[in-house]
Amino acid sequence: MSQATVREITLKILVQVGEQGGFSHIILNQAVIKNDLKQNDKGLLTELVYGTLQHQYTLDFYLEPFITNKKLDRWVRWLLRMSVYQMEYLDRVPDHAVINEAVTISKRKGHKGISGFVNGVLRSMQRKGVPSLDNIDNQLEKLSIATSHPFWLVRMWSEQYGFDLTEEMCHSNIRHKNVSIRVNILKQSRETMQELLLEEGIETKQSNLSDQGLIVTKGNVIYSSYFPNHFSIQDETSMLVTEMMGLEETDTVLDSCSAPGGKTTHIAEKMNDKGTIHAHDLHAKKIKLVSEKADELGLSSIQASALDARKLHETYDKETFDRILLDAPCSGLGVLRSKPDIKYNKHKSDLDGLAIVQQDLLQAVLPLMKQHGKIVYSTCTVNKQENEEQIKQLVNEEQVEVDPSFFEELPSVCKELIGISEYGIQIFPQDFDADGFFITRLQKKK
């Protein structure tokens, strides 16, 4: 059997993710390894997978007049989506080449009738052009299709944050985001790491959100000889979570939902690998990732084990910890640029269930905080129900408050953001071309 082409591999991934519920980033990485792809092919595969997923609703809108509600095999629909994505969004490959490749794939996977149908649809689209989004009157529906976000999500965001901010966020979510890294300062300074990466042809600039952060402006850090021991790949806004914990080297720290370990190891680095960090997660398989990451970075202050954060009171006495991080399970609506499949798999009802879990977790870790301790609560989502409303309910019902010094200690680039409220800071994806995050810090009422 001849080796599968990049577009055949792409199609297989799209069907797995779109129809079988697989995670795009995991399946993509597995495919790269399995097929031993060259660098250029890896780039094309990534572009085609994420681009097609990212624009799925828009592609369906473009296709609808040409398929006239015809019942299609799922793989055929994904093949058409992938082909239209290339024709409408990419300039490197001419339309005739895209169409020929699609016809070849459909011949291999189907029969002559399917290949003829695929050829007819794509050539008709090439000849007539795609329908205009301007014909959609409802502004929420138009934004939903133009940026490929579910209508319920666009409506929810518009109700919570207003249409203009929602529009900006939705368009931001279909653009490429920055790749950033966190330097392991126990091995290299940030400045030295910049110089070493530059020698490998990788250009970076310093982050304003973390004094360990670098934003990659040229090159691929995955292939650096210093990865993963001298730096971690981590989003800037994710780094800010640990930066806002106010850590001291002698602290006893709890990371209650720690997998896969990015923030846990950042805590250890900030504390110069001193003090004690108790890292837990519900599943042993996930906790293994935390331990492996700590070993890669040469960190010894992390004690990782599988425990349900809602039952930590069975293991620890009250007022055990100086600092607690609750990076809570959430809907992930802040990371849609890097995980576009999330937006198609989430429903409004899912958010209600998550909010209950988050409240249970907050209630569970509160008693474990020392009298003068601090709790940082964070999520990688943009949703008031999981963020501001959680904290509002907590401070109204419990003897805790948002730490006023939290706002004073925010980096200067955050202090004028529209997402600051009395309950914390909501960072939107467009703020730094990074992930959307909510962060706040709690203490016992004075």
Side-chain angles (χ1 to χ4, degrees), residues 26 118 146 277 280 427 430:
I26 295 174
V118 167
I277 302 158
H280 302 295
I427 296 174
Q430 63 267 32

Side-chain angles (χ1 to χ4, degrees), residues 13-28 53 341-342 345:
I13 294 171
L14 290 172
V15 172
Q16 281 184 273
V17 174
E19 306 301 333
Q20 299 162 22
F23 295 112
S24 55
H25 60 295
I26 295 174
I27 294 174
L28 181 63
L53 288 171
D341 37 303
I342 288 177
N345 297 327

Side-chain angles (χ1 to χ4, degrees), residues 2 4-5 12 15 28 43 54 59 130 140 176 253 257 265 270 274 279 288 306 312 338 351 412:
S2 60
T5 67
K12 185 176 181 181
V15 172
L28 181 63
Q54 203 69 276
L59 299 172
V130 297
L140 294 181
H176 290 293
V253 179
C257 301
T265 51
K270 292 296 289 185
K274 298 177 182 177
K288 186 180 177 185
L312 288 172
S338 50
L351 276 52
S412 58

Side-chain angles (χ1 to χ4, degrees), residues 235-254:
D235 197 83
E236 272 192 289
T237 45
S238 177
M239 291 182 228
L240 182 60
V241 174
T242 301
E243 296 289 348
M244 297 309 299
M245 289 183 68
L247 296 160
E248 302 286 343
E249 287 186 357
T250 55
D251 283 344
T252 301
V253 179
L254 170 66

Side-chain angles (χ1 to χ4, degrees), residues 48 63 72 78 87 118 133 162 203 217-218 222 230-231 238 244 247 264 270-271 338 355 371 407 425 433-434:
L48 293 180
L63 277 165
L72 304 176
W78 279 110
M87 292 167 68
V118 167
L133 289 159
E203 298 177 10
T217 57
K218 182 181 178 182
I222 291 177
H230 290 251
F231 64 82
S238 177
M244 297 309 299
L247 296 160
T264 317
K270 292 296 289 185
M271 294 169 62
S338 50
Q371 188 62 38
F407 301 100
I425 181 169
D433 275 332

Side-chain angles (χ1 to χ4, degrees), residues 128 158 160 259 264:
K128 296 179 180 179
S158 190
Q160 291 184 356
T264 317

Side-chain angles (χ1 to χ4, degrees), residues 134-195:
D134 292 335
N135 295 327
I136 303 172
D137 293 328
N138 184 300
Q139 66 173 359
L140 294 181
E141 183 184 358
K142 183 177 179 179
L143 180 60
S144 168
I145 294 172
T147 63
S148 207
H149 286 72
F151 182 80
W152 71 263
L153 180 57
V154 174
R155 183 172 59 188
M156 183 190 81
W157 277 342
S158 190
E159 290 170 353
Q160 291 184 356
Y161 305 109
F163 180 78
D164 289 346
L165 194 151
T166 298
E167 183 177 37
E168 190 179 352
M169 176 160 49
C170 288
H171 281 286
S172 171
N173 280 339
I174 56 174
R175 295 197 301 264
H176 290 293
K177 73 165 191 166
N178 292 327
V179 174
S180 54
I181 65 171
R182 188 191 81 234
V183 178
N184 182 354
I185 52 172
L186 302 182
K187 296 192 174 183
Q188 303 286 356
S189 70
R190 179 164 67 167
E191 291 72 21
T192 301
M193 193 75 256
Q194 275 189 288
E195 294 171 4

